[in-house]
């Protein structure tokens, strides 16, 4: 087994154990909702000063050429969330969408960068620090820059 394959297997085993702890915890749904509220608050702190307005789990800002949005997408099983960034041309055309994980300068090998696992954040809230730093330092400058691009006709 290669070192990378071993790292992937170790990460998968850790994830299985993490999700099992969530499944065994009767307080998990309540704790998940609390950590989801904290994630929204952290995103609010970064986006509201930039002119974004929150509607549920989506922050929106109208630009001259592009409408910008940041979406906190919950997984279908409810164990994870992703932050998606989208720039949609105002005059029609294809939207440009990226996930927060696309902006990690040195993504980890054995995990999906940018994926927020609720149980992991419940157990260690400081794990939210890195995604919020990547959002602030890398993803938001890209998104704001997209809002300033001029469409070609």
């Amino acid at each position: 087994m290669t070192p990378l394959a071993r790292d992937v297997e170790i990460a998968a085993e850790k994830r299985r154990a993490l999700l099992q702890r969530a499944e065994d915890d009767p307080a998990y749904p309540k704790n998940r909702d609390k950590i989801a509220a904290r994630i929204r608050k952290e995103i609010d702190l970064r986006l509201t000063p930039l002119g974004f307005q929150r509607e549920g789990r989506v922050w929106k800002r109208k630009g001259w050429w592009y409408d910008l949005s940041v979406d906190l997408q919950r997984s279908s099983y409810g164990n994870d969330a992703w932050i998606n960034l989208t720039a949609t041309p105002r005059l029609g055309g294809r939207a440009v969408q990226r996930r927060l994980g696309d902006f990690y300068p040195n993504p980890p090998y054995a995990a999906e960068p940018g994926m927020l696992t609720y149980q992991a954040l419940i157990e260690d809230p400081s794990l939210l620090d890195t995604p919020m730093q990547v959002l602030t330092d890398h993803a938001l400058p890209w998104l704001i820059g997209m809002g300033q691009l001029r469409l070609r006709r």
Side-chain angles (χ1 to χ4, degrees), residues 25-45:
D25 182 4
Y28 174 71
K30 187 170 117 179
N31 291 335
R32 179 191 58 211
D33 292 345
K34 284 182 186 176
I35 205 71
R38 178 165 178 243
I39 294 168
R40 287 190 300 273
K41 181 180 177 187
E42 290 292 330
I43 296 173
D44 273 339
L45 291 172

Side-chain angles (χ1 to χ4, degrees), residues 26-69:
Y28 174 71
K30 187 170 117 179
N31 291 335
R32 179 191 58 211
D33 292 345
K34 284 182 186 176
I35 205 71
R38 178 165 178 243
I39 294 168
R40 287 190 300 273
K41 181 180 177 187
E42 290 292 330
I43 296 173
D44 273 339
L45 291 172
R46 287 154 178 82
L47 295 179
T48 303
L50 298 174
F52 285 82
Q53 296 181 344
R54 181 161 65 101
E55 298 174 15
R57 59 175 181 74
V58 179
W59 291 260
K60 297 179 179 181
R61 177 177 129 175
K62 291 197 179 295
W64 186 253
W65 298 103
Y66 284 85
D67 289 336
L68 309 177
S69 67

Side-chain angles (χ1 to χ4, degrees), residues 5-145:
R6 187 174 46 249
D7 287 350
V8 169
E9 184 58 35
I10 290 168
E13 183 57 39
K14 286 181 179 179
R15 179 165 170 73
R16 283 190 291 272
L18 189 70
L19 296 178
Q20 186 61 50
R21 287 194 301 275
E23 187 177 310
D24 294 343
D25 182 4
Y28 174 71
K30 187 170 117 179
N31 291 335
R32 179 191 58 211
D33 292 345
K34 284 182 186 176
I35 205 71
R38 178 165 178 243
I39 294 168
R40 287 190 300 273
K41 181 180 177 187
E42 290 292 330
I43 296 173
D44 273 339
L45 291 172
R46 287 154 178 82
L47 295 179
T48 303
L50 298 174
F52 285 82
Q53 296 181 344
R54 181 161 65 101
E55 298 174 15
R57 59 175 181 74
V58 179
W59 291 260
K60 297 179 179 181
R61 177 177 129 175
K62 291 197 179 295
W64 186 253
W65 298 103
Y66 284 85
D67 289 336
L68 309 177
S69 67
V70 177
D71 174 21
L72 181 62
Q73 175 193 356
R74 188 168 164 180
S75 72
S76 56
Y77 294 108
N79 296 316
D80 306 300
W82 292 269
I83 297 174
N84 301 312
L85 301 100
T86 306
T88 306
R90 302 229 30 200
L91 300 176
R94 177 174 253 174
V96 180
Q97 184 176 32
R98 298 195 50 198
R99 278 204 165 153
L100 182 64
D102 297 339
F103 295 95
Y104 273 63
N106 298 306
Y109 287 115
E112 184 179 336
M115 182 172 69
L116 305 172
T117 300
Y118 293 119
Q119 183 65 27
L121 293 169
I122 290 165
E123 293 178 9
D124 183 1
S126 71
L127 292 175
L128 190 56
D129 295 346
T130 298
M132 291 301 106
Q133 197 65 48
V134 171
L135 179 66
T136 302
D137 293 348
H138 302 284
L140 288 177
W142 171 82
L143 187 62
I144 300 299

